[in-house]
Amino acid sequence: MGSLQTESAQSRPDLLAAPVAKALAVWPEDAPVDVDQVLVAPIDAGLADTAAFCAAYGVTLAESANCVIVAGRRGEVTKYAACVILATTRADVNGVVRRHLDVRKCSFAPMDEAVSLTGMEYGGITPIGLPADWPILVDSRVIAAPHVIIGSGVRHSKIAVAGPALGALPGAQVIEGLAKEVA
């Protein structure tokens, strides 16, 4: 986990967005990891973006996961979902995600919508604590990782958690080929 100084996320609500802290308070007992194994580390908010964060804290892109919010439309209906992918990949929004959501058009949600709907800061959005009716689409490579570093809902910290735990979140669906390797 590079040079991150981690501690139990539950013990540091000041390093979490409110929806994330609330989700940790009701962490599923049957989750693959105990809530005490969900760790958080403070970081420089100016280094929250993936490439800058990895370079500054000695975390590899293969250990870093991103949570991107997508919006899909069919007619007048808009569906939102989160895609959890490794930083070495890009979500297949126009292929796998679009078909999975059964929408005609799919794209990354506009920043103001993503922030407003999640209650999290842009650049720190995490799958932990998202709206309960949103599917969380998790690339199979994420759950194969022993641990990943992901957003905490705010830009001034990151969460470290076992990859399989993200695939076991409420509403999570593990999808083979959700993302494509970046060339």
Side-chain angles (χ1 to χ4, degrees), residues 73-118:
R73 290 187 57 86
R74 180 177 286 279
E76 297 301 312
V77 176
T78 300
K79 295 180 183 180
Y80 293 93
C83 296
V84 183
I85 59 172
L86 292 179
T88 57
T89 65
R90 296 241 191 272
D92 185 2
V93 175
N94 291 309
V96 174
V97 176
R98 182 183 56 78
R99 287 189 299 275
H100 188 81
L101 294 177
D102 190 30
V103 294
R104 291 207 187 276
K105 294 165 80 173
C106 193
S107 60
F108 296 107
M111 179 176 59
D112 58 333
E113 281 181 32
V115 168
S116 169
L117 295 170
T118 64

Side-chain angles (χ1 to χ4, degrees), residues 162-183:
L166 297 177
L169 289 171
Q173 302 165 40
V174 177
I175 299 176
E176 184 79 30
L178 176 68
K180 297 178 181 178
E181 288 291 329
V182 176

